[in-house]
Every structure is written in C-alpha cells, then in structure tokens.
Amino acid sequence: MLLEKGMRLKMANTILEIKNLSKSFGKRKVIDNISLEVKEGEVYGFLGPNGSGKTTTIKMILRLIDNDGGEIKVNGYDTKKQFEKAMEYIGAIVENPDMYKYMTGRDNLKLHARIRNVDSKRIDEVLDLVGLKDRADEKVGKYSLGMKQRLGLALTLLHKPKILVLDEPTNGLDPAGIKQLRDILKEIAHNDGVAVFVSSHILSEMQLMCDKVAVLDNGKIVKTEEITNDEESGIENIEIRVNNKEKAIEILKDKFNMELKTQSKHIEITTSVVQIPSIVKELAINDVGIRAIVPKEHTLEDIFFDATKGGRGNE
C-alpha cells in the first residue's frame, strides 16, 4: 500500500508550486527563499514554531499580502500575474470561516453557491461529504464549533477546488471534532484527488493526517519528511534489551547481515515485520538473555524538535 501511495503521488500533477519565496517586514526577513510542491491527492503539513512564518506564507499564497521575491503557482497559474484564474482552484480557511448565524447551514451554502454560480445540486454533495446533511436545516448559531468548522469546509468545497489551504483548522476543537475533520480531509484528498495544504501545531494529529510535511523555522524550510505508516510499510524500528549485548550484536550482524545502533543499555535495529520472529528465535536459542523487545516509533514530534532545535520560533 505504501509503495502504491508513493507511486501515485509521484505521478500526480503538482497543484501548488512555491519557488524561492521571500518576504520581509522592514529589516526583518520573515520568509527566506523557500520552495515546495503540493501534489493532487496529497495532504501536506506545514509545521513550525510560533512566529516561524507559516501564516505569512499562507497569506501570500492567497494574495492577502504580497511577496517580495519568488513565485507561487496554483494549478500552473501564477497567483500574481493570473490572480483570478489561480484563485478559481483554491478553497481556503484562514482563522474562522464567515457565516451568517441567523441562517441555516443550507441557506449559507445556497448564498455562496449563487455568488459563485454553483449548481444547487452541489450543496447536498458537500453537506454529505462533511457529515452535516442531517443538521443542514438548523440555524448556524446553534452549531457547535466543530460543526461550524465543517460547514466552513463545505463552503470552500462548493466550487470543487483543486487545493484546500487551511491555517490551523483544528483550533479550539475537542478530540472528537479534530478526528472528524482529519477523516474528512484525508477522504477529500485520497478519494477525490484534492490537494490539502494545512498548518497546525498539533503534531500528533498531523502525523495521523499528512502524507508529507515541511518544517519551517526562522523563515526557512529546515526539514521535509514523508510520513509513513509502519503497519503499511511493513518496517519496524525495534529496541532490543539483552543481558549479553556483545553476543546479540554478533548474531544480528552475522546471521541477519543487519545494520544496527548500539546504545548504553540497548540495541536499535530497523527490520521487516516478518523477520522479527526469526530474530527473536535466534537470540533466544543463543541464550543472550532477552529482557525486552520494544517497537521504537520515530514520531513527527521527534522530527519537529530535532529540526527546530527545541521548537523555539521568532516570537
């Protein structure tokens, strides 16, 4: 599955392309020559400490502020030179989506559909997609925050954008609301081929949601990482604790031709899931005194704090 996903994304069209983007406020350089690509069907996480430049970048993508250098293209259209055409392909939520609280969810969508000249049949489609079909005829003022966020997402999807640009979309949501939004975004990307470019400070959630992440620190992209699911990849990072570490190392190298890292109290290996029983059996036969064999996760939190040297931004 992981190989298929990787091949699909490599073959997919680039929807958002940023090249050598820069922005300064006075003498302070907020964005320093960054480049990235987001492909159709991909959930791309944009991470960074507070003050690192995430929101500034998103505002430049949407042309809410001008960039000083570089270029931004959406579906091949330059956002500065071909603004109206580029914006046709973007759906965006920056801060809280604007809705009329005294109107129903459906009526809010009808209003936006008329403004965008969207067929009314699309309203039921997006309501179903975000899970609000049963609550569509209630006034928005009675909606929970999670429902309002999902209605805002429905508004952005009305015109069938090629990319969603979302700035901290889970802010203020409870765990159930965060999971609902995550599942919707993954479905939109992986089933409908929409590119999703999302910033968030909730690292555990981004690990579950994203196919790829870029880490921004002090205006520069300091790390780009593919996010893999170990169950899909069939690869495990394992921590082995034994009484006779030297003998265990010898077995792992000689019998399994394995690269490993030795720590003071344990051995770290990366191996296929199917090979683990054979490794355990061989170590047990040779009486190395197995004390523990523990999966060692390489989390997005590890990546983030390593890339940002502790997560301190410009603020």
Side-chain angles (χ1 to χ4, degrees):
M1 287 180 66
L2 183 65
L3 182 60
E4 289 177 2
K5 183 176 80 171
M7 290 177 65
R8 172 173 56 80
L9 291 175
K10 284 180 182 178
M11 294 170 63
N13 295 325
T14 297
I15 303 301
L16 174 65
E17 183 180 12
I18 295 175
K19 283 186 178 179
N20 307 121
L21 188 66
S22 295
K23 179 67 180 178
S24 296
F25 293 115
K27 295 181 179 179
R28 179 168 164 254
K29 198 150 198 172
V30 179
I31 298 297
D32 189 2
N33 197 40
I34 70 170
S35 299
L36 60 85
E37 290 186 0
V38 185
K39 297 183 180 295
E40 61 185 355
E42 180 177 51
V43 182
Y44 195 112
F46 198 47
L47 311 178
N50 289 336
S52 60
K54 301 188 303 296
T55 298
T56 298
T57 301
I58 285 174
K59 287 182 177 180
M60 286 191 284
I61 292 170
L62 302 176
R63 303 302 307 165
L64 298 175
I65 58 176
D66 286 332
N67 52 301
D68 297 333
E71 63 180 13
I72 305 167
K73 289 183 179 180
V74 175
N75 206 35
Y77 295 98
D78 189 294
T79 58
K80 184 178 284 189
K81 298 173 183 175
Q82 301 160 296
F83 172 75
E84 291 185 2
K85 195 67 181 175
M87 292 302 114
E88 286 180 15
Y89 298 99
I90 292 183
I93 299 178
V94 179
E95 298 176 349
N96 294 322
D98 292 326
M99 289 168 288
Y100 294 102
K101 294 181 181 179
Y102 62 88
M103 293 170 60
T104 67
R106 187 183 301 278
D107 286 340
N108 269 275
L109 290 171
K110 283 180 178 178
L111 178 62
H112 280 75
R114 283 197 293 270
I115 292 170
R116 283 189 169 271
N117 197 28
V118 173
D119 192 315
S120 60
K121 292 179 181 178
R122 178 66 176 162
I123 292 172
D124 280 330
E125 290 178 9
V126 295
L127 283 169
D128 190 44
L129 189 60
V130 302
L132 283 177
K133 208 166 186 179
D134 294 339
R135 309 288 297 273
D137 296 310
E138 297 179 21
K139 290 186 178 179
V140 171
K142 295 182 179 179
Y143 280 13
S144 67
L145 180 58
M147 291 169 67
K148 288 176 183 175
Q149 285 292 81
R150 284 186 281 145
L151 182 61
L153 187 58
L155 291 174
T156 70
L157 292 168
L158 272 175
H159 63 295
K160 295 185 178 180
K162 292 277 190 181
I163 185 168
L164 292 177
V165 178
L166 310 172
D167 189 20
E168 300 282 0
T170 58
N171 262 1
L173 298 185
D174 62 18
I178 291 172
K179 183 182 184 305
Q180 284 177 324
L181 192 61
R182 177 226 304 162
D183 291 344
I184 291 166
L185 292 176
K186 288 174 69 174
E187 181 179 349
I188 290 167
H190 299 161
N191 294 348
D192 299 338
V194 177
V196 178
F197 184 72
V198 54
S199 80
S200 177
H201 65 281
I202 306 176
L203 299 179
S204 59
E205 191 55 38
M206 294 292 268
Q207 179 152 8
L208 292 171
M209 185 192 304
C210 297
D211 301 300
K212 190 174 185 178
V213 297
V215 181
L216 190 71
D217 192 29
N218 291 317
K220 295 182 179 182
I221 292 178
V222 292
K223 184 77 172 179
T224 303
E225 186 92 4
E226 301 278 350
I227 302 299
T228 60
N229 183 309
D230 287 339
E231 291 181 1
E232 288 183 354
S233 67
I235 300 296
E236 285 276 10
N237 296 311
I238 302 292
E239 183 179 295
I240 301 174
R241 295 178 180 269
V242 294
N243 292 329
N244 191 336
K245 191 168 68 171
E246 289 72 20
K247 190 172 182 180
I249 291 170
E250 182 182 338
I251 293 165
L252 292 169
K253 287 182 176 179
D254 292 347
K255 294 277 187 179
F256 299 97
N257 193 28
M258 184 169 288
E259 291 186 9
L260 47 84
K261 292 181 182 178
T262 57
Q263 306 294 345
S264 59
K265 294 184 178 180
H266 63 269
I267 306 163
E268 292 178 11
I269 64 170
T270 300
T271 185
S272 65
V273 171
V274 294
Q275 197 174 29
I276 293 173
S278 299
I279 293 170
V280 174
K281 182 179 179 181
E282 194 66 32
L283 292 175
I285 288 171
N286 284 275
D287 195 25
V288 298
I290 299 172
R291 288 185 285 119
I293 295 180
V294 184
K296 186 177 185 298
E297 293 185 3
H298 184 49
T299 66
L300 186 53
E301 186 175 272
D302 296 331
I303 295 166
F304 178 84
F305 284 108
D306 180 61
T308 61
K309 309 303 181 196
R312 293 184 297 274
N314 293 332
E315 293 183 347

